[in-house]
Amino acid sequence: MSPIDGVPPDPRAELEGWRAARATNLYDATPNLARSLRARLGDDGLRAIEPRLRAFGEAAATVVEPAVRAAELCPPSLAPADPLGRESQRVTFALEYAQAGRAVCASGIAAAPAFEQAALLYLLAHVGEGGHACPVVCTAGLIRALRLHGSPELQERFLPALLEPDYDRCQRGAQFLTEVQGGSDVGANRVEASPEGEIWRISGEKWFCSVADADQFLVTARPRGARAGTDGIGCFLVPRCLEDGTTNGFRIRRLKDKLGTRALATGEIEFSGALGYMIGAPQEGFRIAAGVVLNTSRWLNALGSTGLMRRAYLEAASFSRWRTAFGRRIADYPLVRENLAVMKVEEQAALASTLELTGLVEEIDAGTAEEEDRVWHRILVNANKFVTSLAASSCVRRGIEALGGNGTIEDFSPLPRLYRDAIVFESWEGTHNILCEQVLRDLIRLDALDLVLERVHACVPAGNGDAAAIAETLEQLAPRLRRSLAEGPLHFRRQLDLLVRALQAGCLLAHGEAPAAALHLRRHLVSGYDPEADADYADLLDEVLGTDLSAG
């Protein structure tokens, strides 16, 4: 039972009760996920995947979480040679790392269809990146690249091991694009590919290589003699080892000491004549790397950010039910309730827009997407990643605030780990400014603004009240967007945030989450909204929270 007013609390008993009340199945602890999936897949579609989601929800809470907590205490290390002095470039991990990996891999996440993959990644991110979310995402991107652009020979040779659900037999993918002089400026990349019959030899340095322990690397390189810029970039599959088991012409210079994602091996890698196989035609390399691989990562990154938010809310809400201060549960204090309501709605909004994006991914994977669907996907995948990753850092920070000083203690809750990971998520697959600039360029090049506004409008249900307010926001936003297309990007980042927020509010409203849509709309879209002047504001917060903070 939660503490009762008037009874002096035993502080350690409160904390013990809070820990005992933690969810043992993260799928069951998140009914909004089931509701959101049902709205898009129908009852039959949800029933088809729900047993696997529920099974992984339990595994994530009871197996992956404690394993990740232990693995982060012993980060990966580099062993350049084996005990006999032979070069190995082996990355070693805590034993618990593999325990988590087996549970993750057994879920079938890397090869699952779009909506199931999205839901599994969302559940996995409840424990943070954990050293396994990034490999899953990179592997999923490589699988898509091979399926869409790989030759039959490459598919036959390299796909089966990527699709294998047994952790001890599977192979994992990585994507090495970033170079020290380039960063997001991929056109400045210098890694070179030299032809050698049917294969290529890859030479040069990659600067930010997550999943440095992967078995298959997707590497961007410039074929010798190719033109400058992104048009001259090729896309190559580089296996970690040659057929005889020896290292394939690369050296890990060092593993990076990162703020977050500390269980993940991220390094600097130098290739010296590594054997590689081209994926697609030479002139398609950048399009494959960005349009398939990076866009897969940006889509799934948003699911990761959303999962971080949900876990932060679960921790903060549960703590607030159990913790007392000044003779009352802290869940009963208005400012605490407001903070928790904001956290809950931010996660619901991020899930809504990301599942809207997931529907486009599913159509593209199935080959049923029209050209306008592909354009909308290209815009939304960048815009959504920008908004959701920023929201995640803010939301987890709010969760830390709810726990007070306890929220900063690494072994008290997962929140410090989630916060560190959230900041890394912000930088992955393009900084916020890069993503906003990309959206602006695409809107101009593809003449897509009218299409985008039409698609956002289509997500807003007909009706009065909040639906009308969302539509009004879009009408006011449209001329501002047109000015940015004509005059430049200075104000576009703010406008793009509003556009995604409008989409989120519309999706929430369309799928029956009216209180969440109302709070989201007022916080982000209603110009000059003043909660003090809203007599219904406190009641709205209570509607959003529902029974989440009830004693028991």
Side-chain angles (χ1 to χ4, degrees):
M1 294 293 291
S2 295
I4 301 173
D5 288 349
V7 178
D10 177 345
R12 283 191 170 81
E14 289 179 351
L15 298 179
E16 289 172 357
W18 167 59
R19 287 181 177 274
R22 278 179 169 159
T24 57
N25 190 309
L26 294 171
Y27 178 77
D28 289 339
T30 308
N32 180 52
L33 176 61
R35 291 198 305 270
S36 299
L37 290 172
R38 183 179 290 108
R40 290 162 175 82
L41 301 176
D43 289 336
D44 290 343
L46 177 60
R47 274 195 293 269
I49 65 174
E50 192 166 44
R52 294 188 292 276
L53 300 185
R54 179 166 285 114
F56 185 63
E58 180 179 356
T62 61
V63 178
V64 181
E65 167 68 32
V68 166
R69 189 166 61 246
E72 286 230 337
L73 297 176
C74 184
S77 60
L78 175 63
D82 70 12
L84 298 181
R86 295 171 296 201
E87 184 178 36
S88 69
Q89 299 298 315
R90 187 167 63 93
V91 179
T92 61
F93 297 87
L95 292 176
E96 292 85 356
Y97 182 82
Q99 293 173 6
R102 291 186 183 99
V104 172
C105 195
S107 73
I109 186 172
F115 274 105
E116 184 175 350
Q117 189 172 61
L120 289 167
L121 200 286
Y122 167 86
L123 292 170
L124 174 58
H126 279 57
V127 308
E129 190 282 324
H132 291 285
C134 181
V136 164
V137 170
C138 292
T139 302
L142 180 53
I143 288 170
R144 281 184 168 83
L146 285 172
R147 282 174 167 169
L148 291 170
H149 299 282
S151 67
E153 293 77 15
L154 280 184
Q155 292 179 11
E156 182 179 0
R157 180 173 176 183
F158 290 105
L159 267 178
L162 296 173
L163 299 171
E164 170 61 55
D166 185 329
Y167 181 79
D168 296 303
R169 294 189 299 169
C170 75
Q171 292 193 354
R172 303 194 299 174
Q175 54 197 49
F176 300 160
L177 281 66
T178 303
E179 299 182 17
V180 65
Q181 78 287 344
S184 296
D185 184 6
V186 179
N189 282 6
R190 299 172 186 166
V191 169
E192 184 180 72
S194 303
E196 188 177 290
E198 296 296 318
I199 62 172
W200 296 76
R201 294 292 177 179
I202 312 297
S203 299
E205 176 192 6
K206 291 294 182 180
W207 176 247
F208 200 97
C209 302
S210 290
V211 206
D213 58 308
D215 306 282
Q216 299 182 29
F217 311 145
L218 184 140
V219 180
T220 51
R222 193 179 306 279
R224 181 176 294 174
R227 62 192 300 178
T230 56
D231 289 345
I233 296 292
C235 189
F236 299 86
L237 190 154
V238 178
R240 183 182 193 85
C241 295
L242 300 174
E243 291 185 358
D244 62 3
T246 59
T247 302
N248 180 20
F250 74 94
R251 179 172 69 92
I252 303 175
R253 289 182 172 176
R254 63 168 181 156
L255 296 181
K256 293 182 181 285
D257 184 8
K258 307 187 299 299
L259 170 69
T261 67
R262 298 187 65 84
L264 175 69
T266 301
E268 300 163 16
I269 295 183
E270 181 178 3
F271 293 97
S272 301
L275 180 151
Y277 304 91
M278 182 172 283
I279 299 176
Q283 67 274 15
E284 295 180 315
F286 179 73
R287 183 168 65 85
I288 295 168
V292 178
V293 178
L294 280 183
N295 281 350
T296 294
S297 294
R298 287 166 180 163
W299 160 54
L300 292 173
N301 182 291
L303 271 308
S305 293
T306 308
L308 294 179
M309 287 189 259
R310 179 61 187 180
R311 180 64 185 284
Y313 174 75
L314 289 175
E315 292 291 318
S318 177
F319 185 83
S320 299
R321 286 197 306 270
W322 283 90
R323 188 65 162 170
T324 59
F326 307 105
R328 299 169 63 189
R329 298 185 319 152
I330 65 173
D332 296 329
Y333 286 98
L335 292 178
V336 172
R337 297 178 72 83
E338 181 184 45
N339 185 50
L340 292 171
V342 169
M343 290 177 67
K344 183 175 181 179
V345 169
E346 284 294 315
E347 182 271 327
Q348 288 180 284
L351 184 61
S353 59
T354 306
L355 290 183
E356 182 70 20
L357 173 62
T358 302
L360 297 168
V361 174
E362 183 180 63
E363 291 177 359
I364 291 171
D365 284 350
T368 59
E370 303 290 342
E371 183 57 30
E372 288 189 348
D373 298 322
R374 294 178 179 276
V375 171
W376 174 220
H377 168 269
R378 182 181 178 90
I379 301 298
L380 184 56
V381 72
N382 291 298
N384 188 61
K385 191 271 175 181
F386 152 60
V387 171
T388 54
S389 63
L390 272 171
S393 294
S394 176
C395 187
V396 178
R397 185 173 177 178
R398 283 179 175 272
I400 290 172
E401 178 187 352
L403 271 63
N406 288 319
T408 67
I409 306 303
E410 292 279 350
D411 64 356
F412 188 82
S413 82
L415 293 181
R417 181 174 79 241
L418 300 186
Y419 188 52
R420 289 185 280 103
D421 287 357
I423 294 173
V424 177
F425 279 26
E426 286 193 46
S427 295
W428 272 347
E429 324 313 345
T431 63
H432 306 308
N433 287 341
I434 286 292
L435 295 176
C436 291
E437 291 264 11
Q438 182 63 57
V439 172
L440 182 61
R441 287 195 298 270
D442 287 342
L443 287 173
I444 295 170
R445 183 176 63 85
L446 300 171
D447 190 22
L449 181 57
D450 288 337
L451 169 65
V452 168
L453 290 170
E454 176 187 312
R455 290 299 180 100
V456 178
H457 270 292
C459 293
V460 182
N464 298 317
D466 288 337
I470 299 169
E472 181 181 353
T473 296
L474 291 170
E475 294 299 328
Q476 295 171 350
L477 183 60
R480 296 170 58 193
L481 290 166
R482 296 188 198 284
R483 281 198 299 272
S484 288
L485 267 61
E487 298 174 5
L490 179 59
H491 305 296
F492 182 71
R493 177 169 166 163
R494 286 177 283 275
Q495 296 160 5
L496 187 60
D497 179 80
L498 287 173
L499 184 70
V500 175
R501 298 296 190 177
L503 171 69
Q504 292 174 334
C507 289
L508 286 170
L509 201 58
H511 294 112
E513 304 290 346
L519 182 58
H520 191 70
L521 172 69
R522 285 153 180 73
R523 291 190 65 242
H524 294 292
L525 300 176
V526 176
S527 179
Y529 174 69
D530 180 5
E532 291 184 50
D534 183 353
D536 297 324
Y537 183 67
D539 290 338
L540 177 58
L541 298 179
D542 289 342
E543 285 187 75
V544 166
L545 292 169
T547 60
D548 290 0
L549 303 184
S550 299

